Structures are given as structure tokens and as C-alpha cells.
Amino acid sequence: MYSEILLEHFRNPRNMGRMEKPDGVGKVGNPACGDVMHIYIKVGKNSSGEEIIEDIKFETFGCAAAIGTSSMVTELAKGKTLEEAEKISKEDVAEAVGGLPPIKMHCSLLATKGLRKAIEDYRRKKGDAGEGGEDSGDSQEG
Amino acid sequence: MRAYLDYASTTPLDERVLEAMLPWLREHYANPTGIYSLCQKAKQAVEGAREKVAELVGASAQEIVFTSSGTEACNLAIKGYALANRRRGRRIVVSAVEHMAVLEACRAMESQGFSVSVAGVDEHGCVTPEKLEQALDRDTLLVAVQLANNEIGTVQEIKELAEIAHEHGAAFFCDACIANGSIPIDVEKLDVELLAISAHKMYGPKGAGALYIAKGTRVEPLLHGGGQEHGYRSGTENVPAIVGFGRACEIAAEEMEEEAERLRRMRDEMVRRVMSEVEDVRLNGHPERRLPGNANFAFAYIEGESLVLELDFAGVSVSTGSACTSPTLEPSHVLTAIGLSRAQAHGSLRVTLGRFTTQEEVEHFLSVLPGVVERLRRISPFKRGGEGYV
């Protein structure tokens, strides 16, 4: 049913756990549907000054496919620029885990959604923080 | 070590059953329908098995029809009864916790002009007389309630429910596939018109089931052909499987009582230890009125398919009612019917013991379970006292 790669990731998940003070968080899924993923990212810069995913972690409630694809998406995203990470598709994840049973394809979709939401969350916070910074500056002046 | 704790799924074939079957697979291949001596011998073997099956459930041999499975027996009961008695009513009442073989057979009759009403269950999975009364009406021709549930093991008060059905002029079908061989059955005492049983749930072979059809009950056959099984089920008899079924019933009659006591003790102790060694776990089903080998747990914050796979890696074979193992991605209808949230149902684990279960197997399960649950809880975003899990 599951590939060796997926089972290996299920049994030895990479980047598993909660992150202290993440720069972005993506929460997707619903416990009623049987899978929930939380993706946490820390954003840094590479030598060319582009924003990259410096660190990434996940927590997942779900089946082996949900846990395995969560682990795989963190591996695929780590070190990538935000633009590259956003482009990781559900097919990329499914292919990287050595294929998924058709009924489990939504798990790989959930993993990529979680990642995109975390990046979105980072950008939103960054935007807010930028404005917030100016605001606080203003208030200090006042 | 491998601990097989999934007896409700299927049971291993008892060696004694295999021994009884072998001659009918090897040398005695003749067709029971023929008139020469080899055929008559096969015919006698089938009839001998019929008597043993009948005896275990308190029926007479003529009231037993062999089928290819419990599913076929359930289909024959529901569809066969409905089609033969459509003038008596057009409604079928089923409990919310029936096996898919019953629920889907009923659903299939909707296209034949029948309607289906569902009687709910209480938090232990029991169909109460009140709930059955609510679902019944004057147009009801058949009521179907299982003797015991295959997931949570709850045993129903069939006699009481059958009485209510009869008061409303409806016949009663009891799916006893998972119960047969584990607890005593007497069709006279239960007062049911139809009762389905299966060989592979009681140490017999796969490919054999039977339907008890009380004398005077009209049932339309589903399979037409050579007119075997008194016309109720055409098709050459599966002689080796039927012989095995008979032998399995014979053994059950001899050993059931003692075996049930052994299983109940082993199961109760297992449940006690699971509940004390793992946090945030509940036992699903009735605290006492349940099959002796059945335990069904819901572990909070984690999902059952990953639990089953982890346990499999650790050498334990068990099953779950989680959606992630079902082709429809829906969690068990039984667990949601007894009031579990869908998330809780996803975290269910069924552990069923049987004739060949040893204390060592149970110990092995108990030794690996807490670690496996703990590992999955570390991966899960839901924690004790945390938010988001319902």
C-alpha cells in the first residue's frame, strides 16, 4: 500500500516537533476529517540576500501518509527560497515519497498547503511588523 | 514476536477443522447433487454439517441454508424476505450499528420500492426498546438488529427487540456472524425468523456462511439455478468449507463456555492495564454486555491508521475504525452512532482476542502500546489540555 520511502519517513520523521518563536505558521486540515498539519518556519537569507526557509518543523495528526508527506515537504522546503518553496506541488511531494495510493493524494496536497500557509503567514506578519514598527515609532514621538 | 489480536476480522482455521476438511478437498470430490454413491457420500457430509450448525444455534437442520459467506446470508435474509413479503409492508428497520452487509443490502432495496428507517443506539451501542419503537410503523415488514457488534462487541437484547417487532407485525432478522461461537445462541429463545452466521469468524474456513430461516418464513432466493439448498441457494455446495463449518460448530458447542470465561478474564485485565498505563483513552462499547474477546479503545490526539501501522511494525495485528483505512474516508458509523466525535472515532483501536490468543501475545501488545501512543502524540499538534481537538 505504502512505498518504502513513505514508511521510512513515517517511522523516522524529519523536522518533527513544535518550533519556538516561528516566523510563520501554517495550520491546515480538520480533526474531524482525520488529518491536521501544523507547519512552522524560520526565515533567513542566503548569500545573495534572498529570503530562504532556514528552519522548518511540523506537527501532524493523521495517517501514515499524512505524517510521511509532512516530513517530506519539510525536507523539500528546507534551504529553499520562499519563491521556490511555494512552488512545491502535491505531485512533487507524492513523487518524492515514492508515490501514494490515489485515495491518499489529498495528504500531499495538505502538506503543500500547510507550507504555503506558513509562508503567507510570515509575509503577513512581516508586513504587519513593518507597519507596527512605524506605528510604535509614531506613538513614541507623540 | 507476532501478536494476532484481530479475531473479529477473521480467525485462524482450527487444525481440527482443517483435518475434517482435507478428505473433501482431496479424495471426495463428487458433486452432492448426483445419485451415485460418491455423490451420496458428499451429500451425507453436507447434511451432517447442517445438523451440527443447526444444533449450535438451536434450529432444526431443515431450517439451515448454506451460503458462501455471512454477507450473502445477510443479503438473502433482507432481500429475500423483503421480496417474498412485499405485500406485508415496504419499510425495513435497522439499527444504526449494523454491519455494512446489512446496511448496504437494505439500501439496495430502496430502488425496489422499500424504505429504510434507522433505529439509534445509546452511548454503549445498545438498541433500546424505545428507540426501536420510534423507528417502527405499521408499514414495517422486517426489523434487523445484530446479536453483537463486530467493532465494539456490544451484545443486544434480541429477545426483547424481537417481541416489539412481532407486536408491530414485522419479522426479525438477527445478524449473528460475529457472535456465533463466542456466546450461546438459541433461535427459539431469541424468537427470530432469520439469523445469519459465518464460518471464518469461528475458526472455520472462509467461503461458508449460513442463514437460519424459521419454518413458515417465506424467502425469495437470490441465486437461481440447479435448486440446491431447497431452492434457496442454487450453486454446487462448497463441500469442504461446509464440512469445516460443521466441525467448527461442533467444537464451539463443546468449548465455548470455558473459552468465553478465559477470554473474558484475559480481556478484562488487558483493558484495565491499557486504561491505567495510557492517558486520555476511553473504552468504547458496553462495560459488561460485550463479546468476551472484544475491546475497543479511543486514544485521544492520534489517528488510528498510524496507530495500526506502528503496532504492526512492533509485531501486533489489530484494527481501527478510522476513516483513513476505509475506502470512503468516513470514520466508523458505529463509533459515531455511540456519540464519539469524528476525531475520537479516528483514534479508535479494536483489539480482539480468540481461541489461540496467549497471555504472552497480550503482554507483548501491552509492552509496546504505551510507547507507540506516546510517539504518535509527540508528532501530533494536539496535546493534553491543548486546543483544537474535538
Side-chain angles (χ1 to χ4, degrees):
Chain A
M1 174 170 160
Y2 290 130
S3 72
E4 288 296 317
I5 307 171
L6 185 113
L7 288 176
E8 203 275 321
H9 271 261
F10 167 60
R11 301 196 70 187
N12 307 293
R14 327 292 198 260
N15 308 308
M16 187 269 288
R18 197 162 289 187
M19 186 186 279
E20 291 303 318
K21 297 184 182 160
D23 294 327
V25 183
K27 295 186 179 181
V28 287
N30 182 334
C33 303
D35 33 30
V36 173
M37 286 175 200
H38 292 187
I39 305 266
Y40 308 92
I41 56 168
K42 253 196 173 47
V43 178
K45 285 200 170 128
N46 64 12
S47 50
S48 9
E50 295 168 303
E51 285 187 314
I52 59 160
I53 296 189
E54 197 173 80
D55 197 10
I56 180 163
K57 289 208 156 210
F58 81 91
E59 288 179 307
T60 292
F61 163 87
C63 62
I67 292 172
T69 53
S70 303
S71 167
M72 183 53 85
V73 89
T74 63
E75 282 248 291
L76 293 176
K78 203 167 186 173
K80 289 219 162 66
T81 66
L82 299 189
E83 286 69 29
E84 286 166 341
E86 276 176 316
K87 285 193 195 119
I88 297 171
S89 68
K90 68 174 197 290
E91 288 80 14
D92 293 336
V93 177
E95 197 187 310
V97 294
L100 280 172
I103 197 157
K104 299 287 185 177
M105 275 305 284
H106 70 282
C107 295
S108 63
L109 177 66
L110 203 60
T112 54
K113 262 191 187 166
L115 174 61
R116 273 179 218 146
K117 263 192 119 170
I119 295 170
E120 237 171 70
D121 181 54
Y122 160 72
R123 288 190 174 132
R124 206 184 55 241
K125 277 182 186 157
K126 191 179 146 201
D128 288 351
E131 289 160 23
E134 282 162 21
D135 286 346
S136 64
D138 290 343
S139 68
Q140 264 174 13
E141 269 180 29
Chain B
M1 154 151 211
R2 170 60 53 177
Y4 181 78
L5 302 175
D6 200 16
Y7 277 76
S9 170
T10 191
T11 57
L13 192 67
D14 191 300
E15 276 294 325
R16 295 168 288 182
V17 172
L18 177 64
E19 282 304 316
M21 290 172 67
L22 283 174
W24 305 97
L25 284 160
R26 287 197 180 115
E27 56 263 39
H28 306 310
Y29 47 77
N31 191 322
T33 302
I35 57 161
Y36 47 90
S37 56
L38 295 179
C39 301
Q40 287 309 301
K41 199 170 167 173
K43 178 81 179 159
Q44 278 165 18
V46 168
E47 295 315 314
R50 198 185 308 278
E51 274 168 30
K52 289 169 187 166
V53 172
E55 197 176 319
L56 184 64
V57 298
S60 66
Q62 309 92 279
E63 294 172 309
I64 298 295
V65 171
F66 286 117
T67 63
S68 67
S69 62
T71 291
E72 190 195 326
C74 291
N75 273 265
L76 178 57
I78 291 161
K79 297 176 181 172
Y81 186 85
L83 292 173
N85 298 275
R86 53 165 74 229
R87 274 174 309 164
R88 298 183 56 190
R90 291 297 174 93
R91 188 181 303 281
I92 305 169
V93 172
V94 291
S95 91
V97 293
E98 293 304 300
H99 189 274
M100 295 316 270
V102 172
L103 294 177
E104 290 300 315
C106 288
R107 186 171 300 174
M109 294 313 285
E110 286 178 337
S111 63
Q112 307 282 315
F114 292 90
S115 64
V116 181
S117 290
V118 177
V121 293
D122 65 14
E123 80 265 32
H124 297 131
C126 299
V127 181
T128 58
E130 296 73 37
K131 291 195 193 271
L132 182 59
E133 296 255 16
Q134 278 166 21
L136 277 165
D137 66 6
R138 286 173 55 192
D139 197 35
T140 305
L141 81 159
L142 182 65
V143 173
V145 180
Q146 63 199 185
L147 181 50
N149 186 268
N150 58 308
E151 291 185 45
I152 57 176
T154 300
V155 178
Q156 307 287 352
E157 295 281 10
I158 293 300
K159 189 180 163 48
E160 197 178 15
L161 301 174
E163 202 179 305
I164 296 169
H166 294 152
E167 278 166 15
H168 287 75
F172 201 96
F173 163 54
C174 180
D175 167 15
C177 288
I178 199 65
N180 189 37
S182 286
I183 57 173
I185 295 176
D186 185 328
V187 289
E188 293 291 326
K189 284 190 189 147
L190 294 176
D191 198 15
V192 297
E193 282 71 33
L194 300 153
L195 181 128
I197 55 177
S198 170
H200 80 101
K201 303 283 191 191
M202 51 172 304
Y203 317 99
K206 290 154 187 74
L211 181 66
Y212 157 78
I213 305 175
K215 232 170 264 150
T217 307
R218 286 189 307 133
V219 171
E220 192 105 323
L222 302 183
L223 298 182
H224 301 90
Q228 288 88 346
E229 298 294 302
H230 306 296
Y232 284 117
R233 205 278 179 183
S234 288
T236 297
E237 297 86 341
N238 185 350
V239 180
I242 288 171
V243 167
F245 195 3
R247 182 71 182 114
C249 287
E250 196 175 40
I251 296 168
E254 288 161 21
E255 302 179 356
M256 187 183 343
E257 205 180 319
E258 205 174 316
E259 177 61 10
E261 201 37 51
R262 183 186 80 95
L263 288 177
R264 198 169 287 126
R265 272 201 305 273
M266 196 155 54
R267 189 270 320 271
D268 286 348
E269 175 60 10
M270 176 183 80
V271 168
R272 193 190 62 74
R273 283 178 55 191
V274 168
M275 306 298 281
S276 73
E277 287 166 28
V278 181
E279 288 186 329
D280 299 329
V281 53
R282 58 167 276 172
L283 179 70
N284 301 315
H286 199 282
E288 290 105 34
R289 240 174 56 205
R290 68 192 302 150
L291 291 175
N294 173 289
N296 189 304
F297 305 99
F299 295 93
Y301 324 128
I302 56 177
E303 188 279 324
E305 191 219 70
S306 33
L307 191 52
V308 165
L309 281 177
E310 279 279 333
L311 286 167
D312 185 29
F313 292 134
V316 179
S317 306
V318 285
S319 71
T320 174
S322 168
C324 296
T325 57
S326 93
T328 56
L329 291 179
E330 276 298 314
S332 149
H333 65 284
V334 173
L335 298 174
T336 48
I338 61 171
L340 265 66
S341 71
R342 286 158 65 94
Q344 284 175 317
H346 285 301
S348 73
L349 192 74
R350 182 183 69 182
V351 186
T352 45
L353 321 182
R355 186 176 290 166
F356 308 110
T357 307
T358 61
Q359 189 57 40
E360 288 68 42
E361 285 179 288
V362 175
E363 290 298 332
H364 178 62
F365 164 67
L366 288 168
S367 72
V368 301
L369 178 74
V372 163
V373 170
E374 172 53 30
R375 196 182 93 76
L376 290 171
R377 283 181 175 169
R378 272 206 308 276
I379 301 176
S380 174
F382 304 120
K383 315 283 169 197
R384 187 164 223 219
E387 287 170 14
Y389 180 82
V390 266

